[in-house]
């Protein structure tokens, strides 16, 4: 699992402004402000994986995630003058990413709301398979769609905080900085989101077991 | 604390910011309680599945970066194009019509016989100082105000 706020383990290219250990995000931003627009490409490369990973976890669809990640980087570029350095660049970038994905997700969820019951009915056996054989659980399209459906049973805020912690591996304090809330609020919100996810999964499991037993009885009689 | 509640909280103790005392307590509890250690393992398993990240290559990174830079470039071109559009559509015609109006007002009208007198009640365009004074001074009254009042009373 990647760690958003720590620098990417170096994949530094020849043309890059990032020469290991010699230039910081703030210095690259200064270069961009002075007119070296091309330096922004290095900033994009530096954070591409983490922004893309976040968008993917929130939106569960490669095309949507890439579009959202592009939007984020364009938005960041146009508001670079607003970045005052009160927080680290990565925290600021993450805040913009988190808000953007939340907007996309809210618009999307207005169109489709997943209930636990319909999920069990339609995808019960697939969900069983997904958790029974974790080795197949990669980013394969079908599994992603299923994961998206399961995560859609949570509120957008719950999904957001879980993505920050479980997908991106942010520390609690880093999550507090990104979401602009206290450490205690993060502890509470994360515990509630995890509990909700556990309960939803248990509910799916139980309902599937019950409907499976009923089906077997019907077939037997 | 009920054990069910503990099973939820143990995750926070397991990966959250805790004191050394809390950490030791959580470790000790997890090593002796099969229920809690199973819950933590189960959670880690399904979180790993649900929040799996995509595999991205360096080529993906280059393609992505190029797309972003192209969008930024085209947005900048559009912005400068719209400034040019505004200049061409509004500013240049405005400047032109202002120049024409100024030329008509200052050069044509004052030299047009008849027109200049008609609009120059104020002798605005006249170079003759007397004419200007005459134009600006009030018309001389033929009767004084007192004479007028007296004539009304008589009537
Ligand atoms: Zn326990």
């Amino acid at each position: 699992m990647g760690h958003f706020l720590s620098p990417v383990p170096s994949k530094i290219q020849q043309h890059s402004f990032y020469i290991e250990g010699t230039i910081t995000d703030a210095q690259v931003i200064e270069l961009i402000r002075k007119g070296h627009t091309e330096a922004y490409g290095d900033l994009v490369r530096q954070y591409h994986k983490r922004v893309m990973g976040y968008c993917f976890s929130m939106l569960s669809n490669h095309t949507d995630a890439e579009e959202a990640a592009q939007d984020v980087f364009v938005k960041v570029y146009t508001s670079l003058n607003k970045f005052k350095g009160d927080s680290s660049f990565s925290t600021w970038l993450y805040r913009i990413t988190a808000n953007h994905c939340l907007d996309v997700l809210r618009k999307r969820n207005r169109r489709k709301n997943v209930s636990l019951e319909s999920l069990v009915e339609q995808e019960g056996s697939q969900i069983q398979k997904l958790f029974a054989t974790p080795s197949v659980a990669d980013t394969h399209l079908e599994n992603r769609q299923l994961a998206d459906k399961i995560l859609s049973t949570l509120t957008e805020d719950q999904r957001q905080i879980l993505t920050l912690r479980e997908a991106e591996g942010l520390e609690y304090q880093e999550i507090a900085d990104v979401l602009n809330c206290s450490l205690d609020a993060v502890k509470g919100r994360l515990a509630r989101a995890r509990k909700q996810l556990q309960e939803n999964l248990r509910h799916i499991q139980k309902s599937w077991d019950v409907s499976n037993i009923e089906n077997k009885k019907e077939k037997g009689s | 604390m009920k054990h069910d509640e503990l099973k939820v909280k143990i995750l926070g103790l397991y990966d959250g910011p805790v004191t050394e005392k809390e950490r030791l307590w959580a470790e000790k509890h997890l090593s002796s309680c099969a229920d809690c250690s199973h819950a933590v393992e189960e959670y880690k398993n399904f979180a790993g599945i649900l929040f799996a990240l995509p595999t991205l290559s360096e080529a993906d990174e280059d393609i992505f970066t190029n797309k972003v830079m192209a969008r930024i470039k085209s947005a900048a071109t559009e912005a400068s194009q719209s400034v040019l559009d505004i200049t061409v559509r509004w500013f240049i015609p405005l400047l032109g019509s202002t120049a024409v109006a100024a030329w008509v007002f200052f050069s044509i009208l004052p030299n047009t016989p008849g027109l200049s007198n008609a609009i120059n009640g104020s002798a605005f365009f006249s170079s003759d100082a007397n004419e200007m004074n005459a134009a600006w001074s009030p018309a001389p009254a033929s009767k004084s105000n007192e004479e007028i009042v007296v004539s009304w009373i008589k009537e």
Side-chain angles (χ1 to χ4, degrees):
Chain A
M1 273 181 200
H3 204 294
F4 190 80
L5 296 183
S6 56
V8 173
S10 172
K11 189 234 95 180
I12 288 145
Q13 300 182 340
Q14 287 271 306
H15 63 272
S16 175
F17 282 85
Y18 284 96
I19 299 162
E20 205 165 8
T22 61
I23 197 162
T24 62
D25 288 347
Q27 285 167 319
V28 174
I29 291 165
E30 203 45 48
L31 278 171
I32 299 162
R33 281 175 179 160
K34 281 180 182 161
H36 293 275
T37 318
E38 73 280 11
Y40 191 65
D42 290 331
L43 215 51
V44 174
R45 278 198 182 83
Q46 186 82 342
Y47 290 101
H48 162 245
K49 272 189 188 139
R50 284 169 275 181
V51 170
M52 188 63 194
Y54 181 87
C55 294
F56 187 75
S57 278
M58 282 296 278
L59 307 171
S60 291
N61 165 316
H62 202 278
T63 313
D64 289 355
E66 190 178 314
E67 196 186 319
Q70 277 187 33
D71 290 345
V72 165
F73 279 113
V74 171
K75 205 182 266 185
V76 165
Y77 181 82
T78 53
S79 29
L80 215 50
N81 280 333
K82 288 181 200 157
F83 175 64
K84 303 287 180 229
D86 303 332
S87 61
S88 67
F89 173 73
S90 55
T91 301
W92 184 67
L93 171 66
Y94 224 97
R95 208 173 284 154
I96 293 176
T97 311
N99 287 336
H100 184 75
C101 285
L102 209 55
D103 282 347
V104 175
L105 204 60
R106 279 178 181 151
K107 275 180 202 153
R108 187 203 273 180
N109 286 358
R110 241 175 261 152
R111 281 178 273 138
K112 58 160 196 187
N113 253 322
V114 179
S115 77
L116 279 174
E117 273 63 33
S118 67
L119 192 57
V120 172
E121 212 170 282
Q122 292 162 17
E123 313 279 0
S125 68
Q126 290 304 314
I127 293 171
Q128 293 297 313
K129 242 190 254 173
L130 179 68
F131 291 110
T133 47
S135 56
V136 298
D138 47 21
T139 55
H140 189 264
L141 186 63
E142 272 175 37
N143 289 342
R144 258 342 288 181
Q145 284 173 346
L146 206 53
D148 183 42
K149 282 178 185 169
I150 295 168
L151 293 173
S152 297
T153 62
L154 299 169
T155 67
E156 289 96 357
D157 289 337
Q158 286 172 336
R159 186 169 179 172
Q160 182 187 53
I161 201 163
L162 286 172
T163 299
L164 290 168
R165 177 66 203 141
E166 316 299 1
E168 302 298 326
L170 264 68
E171 297 296 340
Y172 283 48
Q173 185 56 57
E174 292 165 341
I175 297 173
D177 292 340
V178 170
L179 299 181
N180 238 337
C181 63
S182 69
L183 189 60
D184 282 339
V186 170
K187 286 182 191 174
R189 283 166 65 180
L190 192 57
R192 278 192 294 279
R194 282 171 163 172
K195 189 178 175 206
Q196 192 63 57
L197 182 58
Q198 282 173 314
E199 277 174 9
N200 289 2
L201 285 169
R202 249 172 238 139
H203 182 93
I204 292 169
Q205 178 95 33
K206 236 185 232 171
S207 309
W208 172 249
D209 287 347
V210 170
S211 67
N212 225 14
I213 291 166
E214 280 170 359
N215 280 348
K216 276 179 189 166
K217 271 185 192 168
E218 273 174 29
K219 275 179 193 169
S221 65
Chain B
M1 194 187 291
K2 284 182 196 163
H3 199 246
D4 273 354
E5 280 176 51
L6 184 69
K7 268 202 285 185
V8 174
K9 291 228 167 117
I10 200 99
L11 281 167
L13 291 174
Y14 170 78
D15 75 346
V18 289
T19 62
E20 189 58 14
K21 199 178 154 190
E22 286 170 320
R23 193 184 59 80
L24 288 172
W25 180 88
E27 275 176 11
K28 197 181 162 197
H29 183 80
L30 282 173
S31 65
S32 61
C33 175
D35 212 12
C36 282
S37 65
H38 174 73
V40 169
E41 283 311 309
E42 188 187 52
Y43 181 82
K44 274 162 67 182
N45 177 43
F46 66 63
I49 294 167
L50 294 176
F51 296 98
L53 291 176
T55 322
L56 296 165
S57 67
E58 288 192 10
D60 291 330
E61 195 172 289
D62 288 340
I63 293 166
F64 180 86
T65 306
N66 291 340
K67 280 182 187 167
V68 170
M69 295 310 280
R71 274 184 63 178
I72 288 170
K73 202 175 165 188
S74 89
T77 314
E78 264 173 41
S80 63
Q81 187 63 46
S82 74
V83 168
L84 190 71
D85 275 359
I86 289 168
T87 311
V88 171
R89 260 190 228 171
W90 299 101
F91 189 67
I92 292 175
L94 188 70
L95 205 66
S97 46
T98 309
V100 169
W103 178 66
V104 169
F105 200 65
F106 290 106
S107 306
I108 305 291
L109 292 187
N111 299 324
T112 308
L115 245 186
S116 66
N117 287 340
I119 59 167
N120 291 352
S122 62
F124 187 78
F125 295 106
S126 177
S127 55
D128 186 336
N130 290 333
E131 219 178 288
M132 269 178 91
N133 287 339
W136 281 104
S137 56
S142 55
K143 285 179 182 178
S144 72
N145 288 344
E146 279 168 30
E147 282 171 333
I148 293 167
V149 173
V150 170
S151 68
W152 280 353
I153 296 168
K154 279 182 184 170
E155 282 168 16

